[in-house]
Amino acid sequence: MNSTVLTLSERSEIDAGSWFSKLSEPLREDILSRATVRRLGDDVLLSCRGEAAEEWVGVAKGAVRISSVSLAGKQVSLTYVEPGTWFGDISLFDGMPRTHDATTHGDTTLLIVRKPDFRELLQRHTELYEALLRLNCRRLRLMFNAVEDLNTLPLASRLAKQILLLARSYGVRQGEEIRIGLQLAQEDLAQLLGASRQRVNQELKALERDGAVRVEPTRLVVLSREKLLAIANR
């Protein structure tokens, strides 16, 4: 389902995005004026690895799963693009094919900027070049941090860090608890951490025993952010 208008909550997510909010008002308005609103259900394939890039995408609601396929033919989730975040610009810049698959995760609302409009935005707003450079520098730093964590931290610490990140992006505070709105099966969480589902299940049970989280079907609830921080920094 497509619509030309974002809801108030969707527009708020876009406006509050850490990258988008720092752009000048004329650039923000020009981007939004060229974007088409696209509303999709769960598990809709947006683009495939190897495809030519035709769109720049902002997430206004829900999430987009970025994934790859292993040598054994298994789908592996690498990250989830959260509301307020834009993606797809790299292939528009270098003209190379898409590097990964992109699929909606839950009901999702997207802002779609077509390739010709993206190029015109770059021509009309020189600040967009620098802004996208900063965005991709941040992505590179996050990637290096993830590689470092994978090679230096125990699984318990990496799991605690991942839960804290999910709570920051998707957390809804309910009294003393923080309920993570993104529905993730333990297999999804294991893929994000590069570990087996069995080992992640063991570590989640340990976090429950420590009173740091409560595990519900496809949901995680943070009971103590302080305990998670302590485990993440071990």
Side-chain angles (χ1 to χ4, degrees), residues 122-169:
L122 289 171
Q123 292 174 357
R124 295 183 58 177
H125 303 273
T126 55
E127 70 168 287
L128 185 55
Y129 280 103
E130 185 176 347
L132 288 170
L133 178 61
R134 290 197 305 270
L135 178 62
N136 282 294
C137 285
R138 181 175 181 274
R139 289 169 178 161
L140 191 59
R141 288 178 184 274
L142 290 173
M143 184 189 71
F144 281 132
N145 288 339
V147 172
E148 181 179 4
D149 287 350
L150 185 61
N151 286 278
T152 61
L153 293 181
L155 179 58
S157 297
R158 291 192 285 121
L159 176 59
K161 287 185 72 171
Q162 184 64 63
I163 293 173
L164 287 168
L165 287 172
L166 292 170
R168 186 184 68 185
S169 300

Side-chain angles (χ1 to χ4, degrees), residues 1-64:
M1 171 180 160
N2 292 336
S3 170
T4 57
V5 180
L6 294 172
T7 66
L8 289 176
S9 62
E10 291 167 349
R11 177 62 188 264
S12 177
E13 291 284 6
I14 289 293
D15 288 341
S18 59
W19 177 80
F20 188 79
S21 62
K22 293 181 175 65
L23 303 178
S24 68
E25 184 176 352
L27 176 52
R28 294 199 307 270
E29 291 303 320
D30 203 0
I31 291 172
L32 294 175
S33 71
R34 296 168 184 272
T36 301
V37 178
R38 188 179 298 170
R39 291 188 169 85
L40 301 167
D42 181 43
D43 203 31
V44 176
L45 183 64
L46 302 175
S47 59
C48 294
R49 180 174 186 165
E51 284 184 349
E54 298 295 336
E55 298 174 338
W56 184 39
V57 184
V59 182
K61 174 189 173 184
V64 174

